[in-house]
Amino acid sequence: MYGSGTQHTTLPLSTHSSQAESGSEGLRLLWLFPRPSDPQVELNLQPDEELVIGRDEDCLVRLSGPDISRRHAKIQREDREFVVTDLDSRNGTFVNGCRRASFRIGLHDVVRFGSHVALVTDRLGATTEIGPGLLAGPVLRAELEPLMLAAPSDLPVILEGETGTGKEVVARAIHAWSGRKGPFVAVNCAALPETLAEGELFGYRRGAFTGAERASPGFFRSAEGGTLLLDEVSDLPLAIQAKLLRVLEQREVQPLGEAQPVGVDVRIVVATQEPLIQAVQQKKFRQDLLARLDGITVRLPPLRKRLEDVLPLLSRVLAKLSSDRNPAFDADFVERLCLYDWPFNVREIVLLAKRLWVLNGQEVCLRARHLPSRITGRPDQAAEENTKSAAAQPPLQNEPVEFPALIAALRASHGNVAQAAAMLSISRQRAYRLMQGQAVDLEALRTSDEAPL
């Protein structure tokens, strides 16, 4: 259970000069559960060394709890990879949800020893709140560092990222870091009717057009002295883009119906799902406007690439919903969360937390059975059969894994990339590399045994 008091001790590890030559330098185990504050375990091993994990005092990594064997598992380095071997433990060792005697592990893999869940990472640091409502672990924090430095300036910012990655939350954080005294104003450009976009952005006087029964300052003047977020900026009509370019160059707006322009002091942040250069190439966005906006560009990583943030984000939302009365979690619940790809990112975490609270708010401990089937991947019986199938495969295949083998594993795991990777004894990162440039419909695989690719 989360916060159950299980103790974990890591003994000091030596640093080896051969680490850089291994091709896996900097990898470590980041503990996600039950005590995410426990020290990370550095995997800086020589080829002839092994890292034993268990309850015994002579284990280099000591875990406590009734589900941990005295000598539970060991980690060794073979060539340029790390191998986890279960030492006949009672409760097993799992990589990406599959129990087997030996596994190769790599970046972003999820490893479970009994009820202790860890993530293989190359970053050091914990998930903390670095801005208003903005929780960030080491992956997201590294991407946001340039924004923290640039925030006090008037440098325009482009935020790129998939839907639900938190672009507006980051924009609000930029506003907080900037120290600007004016308000933060967010505009969804995709929702602006083309005929009204100019007046909504730049303002209008009463009677300027049919239906203008009263004057409006527009979004730019409403954000005076503060920050204006233009979300989905590439959806602005080209004619409005030309006027926006002039506003940025002249630092003044021309309200509809007014004879004189009005000066504005506004910090501009724009957000987009796809790089604006693509919109320029598709003739949907003005090249000169992109040149004016491109002060600093940051692409926010999707949640599947910062799994260390999943549990803190869920816990934060649940705490708000339950007046800080957080339910406990079990290890299987946590593992399933970390094996899910989160196609809708942080927005999906928020909705999941609301669902869990509405349907299971009175539970003392949340378990995997409380999760929707899209996260658990398939019914429990099928999951058990799939795990047995994976366990029957020979571990540590030395042959290179080809794309057709990955497709077969994805079909068997109903689109669960982590479990498909475990079946093939490859890392999740390598599975995603194999899928690059291929038309793989993971969402279809999650809902059909024979989904088209």
Side-chain angles (χ1 to χ4, degrees):
M1 295 167 106
Y2 197 74
S4 62
T6 303
Q7 295 184 350
H8 161 235
T9 303
T10 304
L11 301 181
L13 296 179
S14 59
T15 302
H16 303 291
S17 60
S18 63
Q19 187 180 9
E21 301 172 2
S22 71
S24 54
E25 59 272 13
L27 289 186
R28 57 188 70 228
L29 292 180
L30 171 66
W31 297 102
L32 304 177
F33 181 86
R35 289 168 54 99
S37 60
D38 284 344
Q40 297 179 12
V41 178
E42 298 180 16
L43 303 180
N44 49 358
L45 299 171
Q46 292 276 25
D48 59 345
E49 286 185 316
E50 61 182 29
L51 183 73
V52 179
I53 299 170
R55 287 190 292 112
D56 272 357
E57 292 186 0
D58 62 346
C59 291
L60 201 55
V61 177
R62 294 176 59 195
L63 302 179
S64 63
D67 55 351
I68 297 295
S69 299
R70 298 178 65 86
R71 292 171 60 86
H72 197 101
K74 66 179 181 179
I75 301 177
Q76 297 169 290
R77 183 159 68 88
E78 291 187 3
D79 298 327
R80 301 172 65 85
E81 297 180 293
F82 290 105
V83 176
V84 176
T85 302
D86 186 77
L87 300 178
D88 295 325
S89 66
R90 175 180 299 178
N91 293 290
T93 302
F94 299 76
V95 173
N96 294 332
C98 291
R99 180 175 182 173
R100 223 170 34 232
S102 296
F103 307 78
R104 283 194 173 97
I105 59 172
L107 193 62
H108 305 314
D109 282 338
V110 178
V111 187
R112 175 154 68 98
F113 309 97
S115 64
H116 292 252
V117 182
L119 174 70
V120 181
T121 181
D122 60 353
R123 305 296 180 98
L124 180 64
T127 298
T128 57
E129 186 171 6
I130 63 174
L134 178 58
L135 284 177
V139 172
L140 180 59
R141 190 161 50 245
E143 298 297 330
L144 298 184
E145 281 180 359
L147 296 181
M148 299 174 75
L149 293 173
S153 71
D154 61 355
L155 199 64
V157 172
I158 299 176
L159 296 177
E160 299 175 352
E162 298 176 5
T163 180
T165 47
K167 296 184 287 293
E168 182 171 337
V169 177
V170 172
R172 290 182 181 275
I174 293 171
H175 177 66
W177 298 331
S178 73
R180 295 180 68 88
K181 303 302 182 182
F184 173 86
V185 177
V187 183
N188 183 356
C189 297
L192 292 176
E194 184 172 355
T195 55
L196 301 177
E198 182 176 358
E200 292 295 317
L201 287 171
F202 311 130
Y204 52 86
R205 72 172 208 170
R206 181 182 178 185
F209 52 87
T210 302
E213 298 180 354
R214 57 182 179 181
S216 170
F219 290 119
F220 268 85
R221 282 191 288 171
S222 296
E224 175 66 23
T227 302
L228 177 64
L229 168 65
L230 299 176
D231 196 8
E232 303 298 346
V233 68
S234 61
D235 286 334
L236 283 176
L238 288 171
I240 302 299
Q241 292 180 29
K243 296 179 183 295
L244 176 58
L245 176 64
R246 180 172 178 81
V247 170
L248 297 178
E249 290 176 340
Q250 303 296 327
R251 293 183 176 273
E252 58 186 22
V253 297
Q254 181 73 52
L256 293 177
E258 297 286 357
Q260 298 296 325
V262 180
V264 289
D265 172 23
V266 175
R267 168 69 171 283
I268 301 296
V269 178
V270 303
T272 174
Q273 292 189 41
E274 299 298 333
L276 286 178
I277 189 62
Q278 292 184 10
V280 170
Q281 294 167 350
Q282 297 166 0
K283 309 299 183 183
K284 293 169 51 181
F285 200 76
R286 293 178 61 103
Q287 186 173 10
D288 51 1
L289 179 55
L290 173 58
R292 187 64 183 81
L293 290 171
D294 194 16
I296 182 170
T297 300
V298 170
R299 184 157 191 89
L300 304 184
L303 194 56
R304 64 181 175 272
K305 292 188 177 179
R306 52 185 184 103
L307 293 173
E308 65 274 13
D309 294 346
V310 169
L311 199 58
L313 285 168
L314 182 69
S315 297
R316 167 68 65 88
V317 181
L318 282 173
K320 290 181 178 179
L321 293 172
S322 60
S323 301
D324 293 324
R325 187 187 64 81
N326 249 356
F329 309 138
D330 74 358
D332 195 31
F333 177 91
V334 173
E335 184 182 51
R336 298 291 181 105
L337 292 178
C338 294
L339 294 178
Y340 184 55
D341 287 328
W342 301 104
F344 304 113
N345 295 291
V346 179
R347 186 174 294 129
E348 194 170 5
I349 283 273
V350 174
L351 288 175
L352 174 63
K354 291 179 179 179
R355 171 195 167 114
L356 289 170
W357 176 244
V358 170
L359 299 182
N360 312 106
Q362 302 307 312
E363 296 285 345
V364 176
C365 180
L366 292 176
R367 306 181 186 280
R369 68 173 184 269
H370 298 132
L371 293 169
S373 60
R374 72 176 187 276
I375 295 179
T376 57
R378 52 201 174 277
D380 289 342
Q381 183 178 358
E384 182 179 353
E385 292 174 356
N386 196 41
T387 300
K388 290 179 180 177
S389 174
Q393 298 186 28
L396 306 179
Q397 300 167 347
N398 293 319
E399 299 82 3
V401 174
E402 302 294 342
F403 181 67
L406 176 60
I407 290 302
L410 285 169
R411 281 199 173 102
S413 64
H414 291 240
N416 189 312
V417 178
Q419 290 206 348
M423 291 178 188
L424 301 172
S425 293
I426 63 175
S427 68
R428 182 173 7 196
Q429 186 184 42
R430 185 177 174 193
Y432 277 112
R433 285 200 299 268
L434 286 171
M435 287 190 290
Q436 285 181 356
Q438 306 288 345
V440 181
D441 190 342
L442 291 176
E443 192 60 35
L445 284 166
R446 294 187 183 108
T447 58
S448 172
D449 288 337
E450 297 293 335
L453 298 175

